[in-house]
Amino acid sequence: MKILITGGAGFIGSAVVRKAVECGHQVVNLDALTYSGNLANVASVADSGAYAFEQVDVTDAAALRAVFARHEPDAVMHLAAETHNDRAIESPLDFVRANVLGTAQLLEAARAYWNGLSDEAKTRFRFHHVSTDEVFGELGDEGAFTEETPYDPNSPYSASKAGADHLVRAWGRTYKMPVVLTNCSNNYGPCQFPEKLIPTVISRAVEGREIPVYGQGLQSRDWLHVEDHAEALLTVLSKGRLGETYAIGGNACVRNIELVKLLCAFLDKHAPGNRPHAEKIAFVADRPGHDYRYAIDASKITNELGWSPRHSLEEGLEATVRWYVDNWDWVQAIRERGFTSERLGLLRA
C-alpha cells in the first residue's frame, strides 16, 4: 500500500513510518513539524525510495487536498495530534484546533479524494484514526476498558480526542467512508518527546536532578511499547473490519510510582550516579483532572486479528533507558531548539 501517515515525525507516528517502510509499504509522512515533530525520528528511512515527506498542518484544507492529489494514497493513518495533558491545561483551544478541527479537515479532504476514485480503488481505501484510552475517563480499582466502554473524558486533551473519534464515526456512518478506529494505552520507547513521564524521569536522573512524581504516584497505567503499537496499527489497517474499533494495550499495568522505581533501578545499572536514583524522587502537587487508573482489555484485536504485544514491561523499559542513555544527543538537540516542558513552567508529564 501507499499510506499517508499524519504526524509521522512524532513519537508514535515515526514508529509507524519506520515499521511501514520495513514491511514494504510506500509512505507519505505528513507533519506540521510543531514542537514535538522531529525528522531525526525518521532519519533511518528518509533516503528510501518508498518514503516522501510533506510539511503540512492538518487544519490546512487546501494543502491537504493537494497532498491527496499529488500522492494518491491507498490509505490514511491519522496520528497527528496534540497529546500532552499539561499543555492542554495551559492552552486548551490549541488542542481543539489540532485534534477536532484538524481531524474534520482531514476527513473532508479524504472524502473528496475517495469520492473521485474508481470503484475498485474505493473498495481498497482505508481511513484509520488512531486515538487514546483516555477518552473513556478513569477506572476504579478493578475492570478494564473495552471497545464498548462509554466515553467520559476528563481533560481538555481527552475531550478533544473524543470529539475527533466521534467525527470519524460520523463520517463513516453518514458518508459510508471506510473507517476504522483504535484506542491505545500509554506508549513508551525510543524517540518519545522529553516532556512525557518516562523520558522525563530518565533525563532528570541522568543529569542528577530531582525526579518529580504527581501526587503519591498511585495513578495506574497500562504501558504499551511503541513498536508493538506500530505493529498493531498496521495489522488493523490491513485486516481490521471496517467501522470497527480496536482497543490496543500492553498487558502491563503498573502504578506510576512503581514504574518510576523500575526506571531508577535500570538507570542505576546503565547510568549510575553518586547515589541511587530512587533517592531523588520528589512528590509534587497533582495536576487537575488527573485520571486514577487506565487498563485495556485487548482481547478483541488478539482474537480477531492475531496481534499481541511482544515486549514485557521490564524488557521494554530497560531497552528504553539504554536508548536514551546511548542517544543523549537526540535529547540535547531538542533542548537546543527550545522545546521543553520547563519552558512552559511545567515540571513533568
Side-chain angles (χ1 to χ4, degrees), residues 10-67:
F11 168 47
I12 301 174
S14 65
V16 178
V17 168
R18 296 190 302 268
K19 178 58 68 174
V21 172
E22 177 187 320
C23 292
H25 300 295
Q26 296 181 56
V27 168
V28 180
N29 177 3
L30 186 151
D31 200 293
L33 295 183
T34 56
Y35 78 96
S36 60
N38 188 350
L39 289 178
N41 296 347
V42 291
S44 62
V45 299
D47 294 331
S48 168
Y51 174 85
F53 175 69
E54 295 279 358
Q55 185 171 352
V56 170
D57 191 308
V58 288
T59 62
D60 188 336
L64 289 174
R65 289 195 299 269
V67 168

Side-chain angles (χ1 to χ4, degrees), residues 81-291:
E82 291 285 349
T83 65
H84 188 42
N85 269 302
D86 284 336
R87 290 180 184 267
I89 293 168
E90 290 274 325
S91 305
L93 295 185
D94 290 345
F95 282 65
V96 174
R97 175 185 175 277
N99 298 350
V100 181
L101 178 59
T103 298
Q105 295 284 24
L106 183 64
L107 282 165
E108 277 296 85
R111 183 167 74 93
Y113 168 73
W114 176 68
N115 280 334
L117 295 175
S118 67
D119 289 345
E120 181 182 354
K122 273 188 175 181
T123 301
R124 292 197 307 268
F125 188 78
R126 297 287 184 272
F127 187 105
H128 180 180
H129 176 63
V130 180
S131 189
T132 171
D133 60 356
E134 294 190 43
V135 299
F136 302 126
E138 66 178 355
L139 293 164
D141 290 327
E142 297 180 352
F145 298 132
T146 73
E147 293 79 3
E148 306 303 321
T149 301
Y151 277 42
D152 188 24
N154 290 318
S155 70
Y157 161 60
S158 57
S160 70
K161 288 297 289 184
D165 292 8
H166 292 318
L167 290 175
V168 174
R169 289 193 180 92
W171 259 246
R173 292 167 184 166
T174 301
Y175 304 112
K176 309 305 179 187
M177 278 184 62
V179 302
V180 64
L181 295 88
T182 51
N183 296 87
C184 70
S185 59
N186 280 37
N187 279 225
Y188 71 99
C191 299
Q192 188 170 28
F193 195 74
E195 68 190 357
K196 296 288 189 167
L197 174 59
I198 288 175
T200 292
V201 171
I202 295 170
S203 62
R204 293 179 72 95
V206 166
E207 294 175 332
R209 303 165 70 194
E210 181 181 90
I211 300 171
V213 175
Y214 276 137
Q216 294 300 307
L218 300 181
Q219 303 86 359
S220 179
R221 301 292 183 261
D222 180 1
W223 290 94
L224 171 66
H225 195 282
V226 69
E227 292 173 5
D228 288 338
H229 190 198
E231 291 176 359
L233 294 179
L234 289 165
T235 299
V236 170
L237 182 70
S238 62
K239 297 166 61 177
R241 290 184 290 136
L242 293 182
E244 290 291 321
T245 297
Y246 294 89
I248 305 172
N251 297 328
C253 293
V254 63
R255 293 188 185 275
N256 284 353
I257 186 59
E258 296 165 0
L259 179 83
V260 171
K261 288 179 178 178
L262 269 175
L263 288 169
C264 287
F266 292 131
L267 283 157
D268 288 340
K269 178 179 177 181
H270 297 287
N274 55 11
R275 59 193 176 101
H277 289 295
E279 293 182 7
K280 302 167 189 171
I281 294 172
F283 297 105
V284 299
D286 210 348
R287 72 167 178 237
H290 199 178
D291 292 330

